[in-house]
Amino acid sequence: MDDDELIRRELRSAREELVRKRARQPDDLPASTSQLPLMPERDDAFLRLALMSVEDLETHIDRLERDLADLETGIDRPDAEIE
């Protein structure tokens, strides 16, 4: 799987997790409350997203969107060798 597909999958999972947290979380519960045991449809590759708070998920989504945009515009990865 190439980098952009992996980022797209993680971005999709992060957005779904953010929606779950916002929908299931009353205002009086901590933002990091996980519904992990109750949500078996999560992508196993991204279970760590369930442990993130709403704020952390929002930040992570922003980063993934920037990474995807960089890949689409041809910006090289930081670890790529410069010739």
Side-chain angles (χ1 to χ4, degrees):
M1 180 180 317
D2 54 1
D3 289 340
D4 63 335
E5 182 58 29
L6 184 59
I7 291 173
R8 287 178 204 281
R9 283 186 57 220
E10 185 169 354
L11 181 57
R12 187 177 312 114
S13 293
R15 287 176 175 160
E16 288 172 1
E17 186 62 37
L18 183 59
V19 168
R20 282 186 198 110
K21 287 201 183 252
R22 285 180 175 162
R24 291 185 165 267
Q25 182 178 24
D27 293 334
D28 57 342
L29 289 178
S32 63
T33 302
S34 172
Q35 300 295 326
L36 186 60
L38 304 177
M39 304 301 286
E41 72 275 4
R42 282 188 174 96
D43 186 337
D44 290 342
F46 305 113
L47 286 178
R48 62 185 165 70
L49 298 172
L51 302 175
M52 291 182 166
S53 68
V54 169
E55 294 80 18
D56 290 341
L57 281 167
E58 290 169 343
T59 301
H60 190 62
I61 289 168
D62 289 342
R63 289 179 184 146
L64 290 170
E65 288 171 342
R66 282 193 306 267
D67 290 347
L68 188 58
D70 288 348
L71 281 173
E72 289 173 351
T73 59
I75 295 177
D76 292 333
R77 294 185 347 224
D79 60 344
E81 291 184 27
I82 300 174
E83 296 182 34

